[in-house]
Amino acid sequence: LRFFTFCTWPTHSHYGHTRPLSLRSRRVASRARGTSSPASERPHRRRPSATRSAAAMVAAMEVSDDGPAFDEDLLRLYYARLFPYEPMCRWLAYQPHGDGKCPPGTGSVMNRRELSLTLADDVYIRYQCFPDAAGMKALMTKRQPHKIDIGAVFNTSPRDHLTVKNFRPEQRELVFDIDLSDYDDVRTCCQGARVCGKCWHYMNAAVKV
């Protein structure tokens, strides 16, 4: 069964076989100088909100010359706050606007769509499914996959593949796989699986072609 891969990036999404963009946040150390004043004289400091903390983490990203370093905290932040669950489910369900029976991003196709996940240490799990964007978010925030493979739409829910005798795929997409490694002969910035902002100009051109 042919899968196609959806790899997650903090600023945009693409299809390929490269793992998610993973960046290392900088640690900024600050020291207070002088003697500390009594608690009653200290100015009240508002506790930063979760949104501000997320923005600070993203602003503190750092990429070395050897490529991006993986950061579990940023991956957790991405699935909790940045992953486009609603648009993704509308696309996977072939129901972007909904109808009288089902809201957008739900329906029979969505319930029968399989996803497989590659977790840390190359742990691979199949037959994952969910009914809507809320279910997808619960799955992604729990598993925090390094790679997502989108599979076929089956004749029943993939979670029942062991109990259904005639379990089979009914439809799947025609996929054109574009690998940046195919451009190693002309890329001057990166090679192999490494990706930078300059490399994406080749991907943009390939999609248009």
Side-chain angles (χ1 to χ4, degrees), residues 87-107:
M88 179 63 61
C89 286
R90 289 197 298 267
W91 176 63
L92 290 175
Y94 295 118
Q95 194 183 39
H97 307 295
D99 53 30
K101 297 181 180 179
C102 300
T106 62

Side-chain angles (χ1 to χ4, degrees), residues 93-175:
Y94 295 118
Q95 194 183 39
H97 307 295
D99 53 30
K101 297 181 180 179
C102 300
T106 62
S108 175
V109 172
M110 194 66 187
N111 287 325
R112 295 180 289 120
R113 169 80 69 175
E114 179 197 2
L115 266 72
S116 66
L117 309 177
T118 302
L119 311 182
D121 300 324
D122 289 330
V123 176
Y124 184 69
I125 55 176
R126 283 194 61 181
Y127 305 115
Q128 305 298 297
C129 58
F130 39 82
D132 50 26
M136 185 180 191
K137 184 174 183 179
L139 175 64
M140 297 306 167
T141 54
K142 177 183 178 181
R143 296 291 191 176
Q144 297 176 22
H146 293 194
K147 188 175 69 170
I148 305 170
D149 292 298
I150 303 174
V153 177
F154 287 85
N155 60 332
T156 188
S157 176
R159 67 169 57 92
D160 299 328
H161 67 282
L162 295 178
T163 59
V164 177
K165 294 183 178 180
N166 193 23
F167 181 71
R168 67 185 188 280
E170 289 189 337
Q171 55 180 295
R172 55 188 174 185
E173 290 77 13
L174 174 64
V175 180

